[in-house]
Amino acid sequence: MKNMGTLDRVIRLVAVAGVIGAYGLGLIGGTLALVIGAVAVILLLTSLTATCPAYMPFKLSTRPGRR
């Protein structure tokens, strides 16, 4: 069940790009890079599938209402 709107997905993709950029520039490294990288992978996957499992228990959705 898709529960993410376009803006939500774009914000997540921008965050992933920021993490990639920070790693590429050497601003993050070591354990911090692994932890933030794992979060970035989760953000990427949820953005690509338009589904956020954390929204489901609360029945949240950022998708616009259907008319």
Side-chain angles (χ1 to χ4, degrees), residues 22-50:
Y23 182 75
L25 292 172
L27 299 175
I28 58 173
T31 304
L32 178 62
L34 289 174
V35 171
I36 294 176
V39 171
V41 167
I42 293 168
L43 291 175
L44 178 63
L45 291 174
T46 58
S47 180
L48 292 176
T49 62

Side-chain angles (χ1 to χ4, degrees), residues 2-15:
K2 294 184 179 189
N3 59 7
M4 289 175 51
T6 303
L7 181 61
D8 194 358
R9 295 172 71 189
V10 169
I11 290 171
R12 289 169 187 249
L13 290 174
V14 168

